[in-house]
Amino acid sequence: MKNRITITEMMTAARELKAQGEKFTLLGIGPMSMRLIRGVVELAKERDFPVMLIASRNQVDSDEFGHGYVRGWDQDRFVADVQSVIDEYGFDGLLYLCRDHGGPWQRDEERRAKLPVEEAMDIGVRSYIHDMESGFDLLHIDPTKDPHINGVVPLETVLDRTVEIIDRLEKYRKEHGLPHVGFEAGTEETNGGLTSVGAFGDFVDRLVKALAEKGLNAPEFVVGQTGTLTRLTENVGSYNTNNARILSRSAGIHGVGLKEHNGDYLRDSILLEHPVVDVTAMNVAPEFGVVETRAYLELADLESRNVPAGKQSDLRRIMTEAAVRCERWRKWMVGEDASASVEKMLENSEKSALIVDITGHYTYEAPKVMDAVAVMTGNLAALGVDADSYVIRKIKDSVDRYCFCFGMYGLTSKLLKVCGK
């Protein structure tokens, strides 16, 4: 797919608009499913805003590294599916494919295996190269995980590895004539070493200088910790307005945008404040998966009340069991629950209901779940209920909350006008 302007040109135009007095924040959206992508593209066409789809390596990755859990996507299949949705809706706006948390040890199995540094770095670079060859627009360089280091990865190590990876990628890109890509650096992780305002400012200053010494441009974004922290289906962090303002200024000195992660579940009053304090962009992912799962379960309950027992899909039970058995919930649960046995969780109806709520999106491609969704969709169609449209509507409503609060309506046309397109 080909945008009319690169993500770097888009960010340059965004800075120009802000200099003219426009107030807005961009939104990065986790590609949790095909229905989510359909909903986002449909909404972007209606509201005229640029889309940034942010794919983690666990969601989308090369087959040689185990591909992703979403539709078994590697980069090429992901790009093809997104393009099919663009074609389906006749979307001619801006849509950028972004790598979220790429780099060494960013797949769960790589950390568990404690791969050696050189091997992990090489795998991270090879994954990025596949991103570039497939047409990704933005690469998040995140070398802040290292199973060989106890505690926080030193800032010096993060800096050195970030510069090394960007240098290797830019050399490869130029040698092979690949299209321009933008970069994102840093991490929102509370143990990533960039949590303080001072550390963030020092990192940005040193990163931009080190890249310039190699003839490389500053990144489009640097991730800063503004106090957001997602646990279960809440944002349990303490958002710090003053810190957000300071971080934005520290990045803006170098023409770099402040990127905020873990923005899920923030209340509207905080979202509305983002353009005011000039948070350049924010990522949201798990919340949209939860919204989609809840839509399926609402429909399953509707089906259970209106379809004879022998003909029902039994989707709630099937999806719940699949969610518990996939064990992805261990990442989100706290205390003893994080290490509890699968059987114990299945026996506890309250816990299993929580698990399907927060990790149901990991099960969408499970054959039994897909079959149950198909049966339920057919049953509801016979009742005059369009299940697919309902799910997409719920997704759109959730995404639209952010787009409205962030002042994104009509933004694509404004950006293109600045660029003379």
Side-chain angles (χ1 to χ4, degrees), residues 13 76 182 355:
D76 301 305
I355 286 172

Side-chain angles (χ1 to χ4, degrees), residues 57 65 103-104 119-129 169:
R57 286 190 59 205
F65 307 130
E119 182 181 358
M121 286 285 283
D122 184 58
I123 286 174
V125 168
R126 279 154 53 199
S127 177
Y128 284 130
I129 287 172
L169 293 178

Side-chain angles (χ1 to χ4, degrees), residues 48-251:
D48 188 32
F49 64 83
V51 175
M52 293 192 298
L53 296 177
I54 51 161
S56 72
R57 286 190 59 205
N58 286 323
Q59 292 172 325
V60 178
D61 206 0
S62 309
D63 286 334
E64 66 171 312
F65 307 130
H67 60 73
Y69 72 79
V70 183
R71 291 175 61 83
W73 273 331
D74 75 341
Q75 291 89 324
D76 301 305
R77 293 189 291 274
F78 172 55
V79 172
D81 276 353
V82 173
Q83 185 63 58
S84 72
V85 175
I86 288 173
D87 294 341
E88 176 186 349
Y89 285 93
F91 179 71
D92 64 352
L94 300 174
L95 189 150
Y96 298 102
L97 303 179
C98 311
R99 168 60 69 202
D100 187 36
H101 293 290
W105 301 290
Q106 285 294 345
R107 286 188 69 101
D108 296 339
E109 55 268 31
E110 292 172 6
R111 291 194 302 282
R112 286 193 293 265
K114 294 187 176 182
L115 297 181
V117 174
E118 186 175 339
E119 182 181 358
M121 286 285 283
D122 184 58
I123 286 174
V125 168
R126 279 154 53 199
S127 177
Y128 284 130
I129 287 172
H130 195 170
D131 293 344
M132 293 192 298
E133 291 177 337
S134 298
F136 276 50
D137 302 283
L138 180 77
L139 306 179
H140 179 196
I141 312 301
D142 183 5
T144 60
K145 295 186 184 300
D146 189 331
H148 304 289
I149 296 175
N150 291 323
V152 174
V153 178
L155 207 58
E156 195 72 36
T157 302
V158 174
L159 183 66
D160 289 345
R161 290 177 180 173
T162 299
V163 173
E164 177 188 340
I165 291 170
I166 292 176
D167 189 34
R168 289 173 65 179
L169 293 178
E170 278 296 273
K171 286 177 179 176
Y172 184 94
R173 184 185 69 80
K174 292 173 182 177
E175 287 171 1
H176 291 80
L178 297 175
H180 169 86
V181 294
F183 292 98
E184 176 179 338
T187 182
E188 85 285 1
E189 299 292 344
T190 54
N191 65 346
L194 294 174
T195 55
S196 74
V197 170
F200 177 86
D202 181 53
F203 178 78
V204 177
D205 292 344
R206 294 171 63 190
L207 174 63
V208 171
K209 181 180 179 182
L211 290 171
E213 288 173 352
K214 290 183 173 290
L216 300 168
N217 295 327
E220 307 308 325
F221 304 101
V222 174
V223 183
Q225 175 53 262
T226 59
T228 57
L229 180 62
T230 304
R231 287 290 181 269
L232 301 180
T233 57
E234 296 180 286
N235 203 299
V236 299
S238 180
Y239 189 80
N240 191 313
T241 300
N242 191 50
N243 277 9
R245 189 177 279 114
I246 295 171
L247 295 176
S248 178
R249 288 172 182 166
S250 295

